[in-house]
Amino acid sequence: MSKIIVEDLNFYYGDVQALKDVNMTIEPNEITALIGPSGCGKSTFLRAFNRMNDFIKNTSVDGSIIYDGMNIVDKDIDVVELRMKVGMVFQKPNPLPKSIFENVIYGPKRHGLKKKHLQKELVESSLKQAALWEEVKEDLNKSGFELSGGQQQRLCIARCLSMKPDILLFDEPTSALDPISTMKIEDLLVQLKEHYTIIIVTHSMHQAARISDKTAFFLNGEVIEMGETGEIFSNAKDNRTERYISGKFG
Amino acid sequence: MEPSKTRKRALHIENIAKRTVFLFSSISVLTTAIVVYILFSESFIFFKEVSIVEFFTSTKWSPTLRPQNFGVLPLLTGTLMIAIGASLIAIPFGLGSAIYLSEYAPKKVRKILKPILEILAGIPSIVYGFFALTVITPLIRVFLPQTQIFNALSASIAVGIMIIPMVASLSEDAMMAVPDSLRKGAYALGSTQLDVVLKVVLPAAISGIGSAFILAISRAIGETMIVAIAAGQSPTFTLNPLNSIQTMTGFMVNISLGDIQHGTIEYQTLFAIGGLLFFMTLSLNILARWIVKKQKEKLG
Ligand SMILES: Nc1ncnc2c1ncn2[C@@H]1O[C@H](COP(=O)(O)OP(=O)(O)O)[C@@H](O)[C@H]1O
Ligand SMILES: [Mg+2]
């Protein structure tokens, strides 16, 4: 059964339509990559899944995103509850100005995890899952800011994982990182899909090709084409997709 | 190639401008240095007559009466009462307004309120002084009839009200300097707005807020007009805010207005008190700067 079903999603910034009749299904335990030239609506689409668009004034949306039996586009849903299940990692690593430990435990603490030994266990398992444990286990009280960019990004992933989410959203998570850190994050994402459903916006077609199962190509707010990643990259049906992938524009 | 005529002229003007601004800045630094020098050299004369131990331990202050007493403690407690009372008012109200302005107020509201705050900060303190005397004191005396006409409580409330805008404005600056990406990250983890304010923004801005408090306290310590008008002129060693007191600044105004002879020990007290005041506010300001620097390092 599909994890998420998007139907006829339209999104507007004021009068400007940023998403046009988007339809898509997201399968569980897969990585879905969203590609397309900048300004085509990928981030807007991604933010629809955890309602981060709510913070932008003067926007409107219609259509539906069915997840877990509810339409999460609906104004009345509990967004705090939603965001606990749908984690997000941003383009620029944004650890809190707190220790590594406090960064990872921040979410669970807010939602009532008080017992110290449970916190410790959760921090350890989350950092291990985010492939950061070995590098930081000696000094969990160090400020998150003292880590390198790549480590900070994995810390941000760990802090999502500690919430035991269902879906992970990534908006160009490696665009601010060096190639080695990028590789580590890519490996990590492939491992994580075993337990989570992942949607990633990426500006790098190589990245999409390397790690994703499905790829959706966006252009001017529309999904031009979506399918198996191998299929899209070797055998695109729409010639705009093919031209974008072969680097002719974007 | 020869520089063109207009280019040469521009260079010349540039040079003059550079020298002029350098001159201005040197003059202001120099005058400050002279003031500090006089303050300390004159206090030095004072401390040749009066022992430092007496100055800091005696609880009697009566430099203009016989027998003369030079214990600064009554002035110090008076000053501290004003500063503490003012902080108790200014910190909660100032911080509350800052939180509202930075985290809750719609953009439009902030655009209106922030300049108003800054205007409030510019009201001359003598206005607050008369407000204390004619409004706050009578009000206090309704509830606490034993309150003296001139009293520390009324003055400290007025000083507190006066420094609210400063606390609010500086704290708000500190909170606005917290990058939005931190708030977004916390919201994405399922935080409520209150979580974000209390657990993310305030901790991240804590040093800026702390330094705002310190600067405000330093301002309260240095405040003169309000205390001269509303707090009284009796340097009694007391911690009862309903009593008439005198602060360090209040004493200085008093002495300066009287007909004290230059070169007498009474006259010299001015510099001793001034020096102490200078030392206190300077340390507070340095502390505040240091804290802000720490914050900058922390937020990267
Ligand atoms: N906060 C915003 N306010 C107004 N318009 C926006 C905002 N964010 C994005 N847009 C517009 O929506 C369109 C899609 O943007 P975005 O989703 O960021 O694209 P992408 O992530 O593919 O680069 C662009 O035309 C952009 O200008
Ligand atoms: Mg984007």
Side-chain angles (χ1 to χ4, degrees):
Chain A
M1 209 179 82
S2 299
K3 194 87 197 171
I4 306 176
I5 301 169
V6 182
E7 276 181 341
D8 299 329
L9 190 72
N10 290 291
F11 191 94
Y12 307 83
Y13 292 104
D15 301 330
V16 181
Q17 185 164 10
L19 294 174
K20 296 169 190 160
D21 277 326
V22 175
N23 288 279
M24 189 180 291
T25 54
I26 306 285
E27 303 303 327
N29 303 99
E30 282 193 352
I31 298 180
T32 303
L34 313 177
I35 62 169
S38 93
C40 67
K42 307 178 296 290
S43 297
T44 304
F45 184 60
L46 194 72
R47 289 194 297 263
F49 293 103
N50 65 345
R51 291 280 292 271
M52 289 299 278
N53 285 323
D54 289 13
F55 295 106
I56 306 169
K57 297 267 141 39
N58 198 17
T59 58
S60 55
V61 56
D62 60 62
S64 63
I65 300 180
I66 305 299
Y67 163 63
D68 207 14
M70 54 187 177
N71 180 6
I72 59 171
V73 167
D74 190 341
K75 285 278 166 268
D76 295 333
I77 67 144
D78 183 347
V79 291
V80 168
E81 200 80 15
L82 175 70
R83 289 179 192 142
M84 289 168 69
K85 284 202 232 144
V86 184
M88 179 176 246
V89 174
F90 297 77
Q91 188 165 355
K92 248 187 85 205
N94 56 350
L96 298 167
K98 297 177 191 286
S99 68
I100 294 170
F101 188 93
E102 288 300 327
N103 261 284
V104 178
I105 209 65
Y106 172 85
K109 236 183 174 174
R110 297 269 64 68
H111 298 99
L113 186 74
K114 293 268 151 46
K115 288 220 174 72
K116 205 73 197 168
H117 70 278
L118 292 181
Q119 291 185 355
K120 274 189 185 148
E121 278 172 30
L122 186 55
V123 168
E124 179 171 344
S125 65
S126 307
L127 284 170
K128 277 181 175 158
Q129 252 194 315
L132 187 57
W133 175 251
E134 287 306 320
E135 289 157 61
V136 300
K137 65 179 178 193
E138 305 299 337
D139 194 2
L140 296 176
N141 292 322
K142 194 160 76 172
S143 161
F145 285 178
E146 287 173 44
L147 300 174
S148 73
Q151 289 174 322
Q152 286 189 8
Q153 199 58 305
R154 278 177 282 148
L155 179 62
C156 292
I157 294 173
R159 132 185 127 174
C160 286
L161 297 180
S162 72
M163 296 290 290
K164 305 212 185 302
D166 185 22
I167 294 168
L168 290 172
L169 309 173
F170 292 84
D171 194 346
E172 306 197 15
T174 60
S175 65
L177 304 181
D178 61 274
I180 292 177
S181 305
T182 298
M183 211 177 65
K184 281 191 186 155
I185 302 248
E186 287 184 6
D187 290 346
L188 174 59
L189 292 186
V190 174
Q191 286 169 29
L192 287 175
K193 78 173 179 183
E194 197 181 317
H195 303 285
Y196 308 94
T197 301
I198 294 176
I199 308 175
I200 178 172
V201 171
T202 173
H203 62 289
S204 150
M205 282 163 289
H206 298 290
Q207 185 165 67
R210 276 194 297 264
I211 64 172
S212 71
D213 302 287
K214 300 275 167 53
T215 296
F217 172 59
F218 279 72
L219 190 60
N220 298 326
E222 285 178 83
V223 177
I224 301 299
E225 191 169 353
M226 176 172 184
E228 296 286 337
T229 297
E231 197 61 10
I232 296 275
F233 277 85
S234 61
N235 203 2
K237 294 195 187 60
D238 196 295
N239 89 326
R240 287 170 293 181
T241 315
E242 203 203 301
R243 284 182 31 193
Y244 178 74
I245 286 171
S246 57
K248 299 244 168 59
F249 71 99
Chain B
M1 201 179 82
E2 276 284 293
S4 73
K5 228 178 181 167
T6 44
R7 183 76 194 109
K8 261 188 192 160
R9 249 191 74 152
L11 275 174
H12 187 58
I13 293 175
E14 180 78 31
N15 245 326
I16 294 179
K18 218 193 288 177
R19 281 186 202 160
T20 315
V21 289
F22 177 74
L23 191 70
F24 281 137
S25 69
S26 324
I27 289 176
S28 39
V29 170
L30 199 67
T31 40
T32 314
I34 291 173
V35 169
V36 173
Y37 171 74
I38 293 178
L39 215 47
F40 280 93
S41 60
E42 296 283 328
S43 328
F44 190 71
I45 299 174
F46 173 81
F47 284 116
K48 270 202 279 195
E49 302 276 326
V50 178
S51 85
I52 288 207
V53 178
E54 186 197 342
F55 186 66
F56 282 110
T57 56
S58 159
T59 56
K60 281 213 181 73
W61 179 257
S62 58
T64 54
L65 303 171
R66 313 276 145 179
Q68 285 178 311
N69 289 290
F70 296 100
V72 79
L73 284 178
L75 298 185
L76 217 48
T77 52
T79 300
L80 285 183
M81 259 202 286
I82 297 291
I84 291 169
S87 309
L88 289 179
I89 303 260
I91 287 176
F93 283 98
L95 184 58
S97 324
I99 292 175
Y100 173 72
L101 279 180
S102 135
E103 305 300 313
Y104 289 95
K107 257 210 184 91
K108 276 186 202 149
V109 177
R110 191 171 73 229
K111 260 202 179 132
I112 300 168
L113 285 184
K114 182 93 203 233
I116 292 182
L117 263 187
E118 265 139 32
I119 291 169
L120 280 180
I123 295 179
S125 59
I126 191 163
V127 176
Y128 290 99
F130 278 104
F131 179 70
L133 196 60
T134 56
V135 179
I136 303 176
T137 300
L139 221 68
I140 295 173
R141 280 158 66 93
V142 170
F143 299 101
L144 300 162
Q146 74 273 35
T147 310
Q148 299 178 3
I149 292 274
F150 297 104
N151 64 82
L153 181 60
S154 171
S156 70
I157 292 174
V159 174
I161 295 173
M162 184 188 75
I163 59 178
I164 288 174
M166 181 182 178
V167 174
S169 188
L170 291 176
S171 306
E172 200 242 9
D173 288 345
M175 291 167 70
M176 293 295 280
V178 175
D180 221 27
S181 62
L182 294 188
R183 295 183 184 81
K184 288 282 155 62
Y187 277 120
L189 290 167
S191 299
T192 61
Q193 187 163 15
L194 192 63
D195 288 337
V196 172
V197 172
L198 295 182
K199 302 293 173 182
V200 177
V201 179
L202 283 184
I206 192 69
S207 2
I209 293 171
S211 85
F213 292 173
I214 292 172
L215 288 175
I217 291 169
S218 147
R219 177 83 200 279
I221 288 176
E223 172 48 35
T224 306
M225 223 50 208
I226 296 176
V227 292
I229 292 174
Q233 295 170 5
S234 32
T236 28
F237 186 56
T238 173
L239 287 174
N240 181 353
L242 305 182
N243 285 350
S244 170
I245 55 143
Q246 190 166 48
T247 65
M248 292 156 66
T249 51
F251 167 76
M252 289 176 75
V253 173
N254 214 10
I255 282 285
S256 318
L257 296 179
D259 52 356
I260 298 288
Q261 292 267 304
H262 279 221
T264 59
I265 184 78
E266 294 92 314
Y267 179 74
Q268 233 61 50
T269 56
L270 268 184
F271 294 96
I273 299 292
L276 182 59
L277 205 53
F278 173 80
F279 182 74
M280 285 167 68
T281 48
L282 183 72
S283 336
L284 288 174
N285 282 290
I286 290 174
L287 184 64
R289 272 173 172 274
W290 179 79
I291 290 176
V292 168
K293 204 173 125 234
K294 284 276 147 204
Q295 154 125 338
K296 289 235 173 77
E297 282 164 15
K298 208 173 77 180
L299 286 180

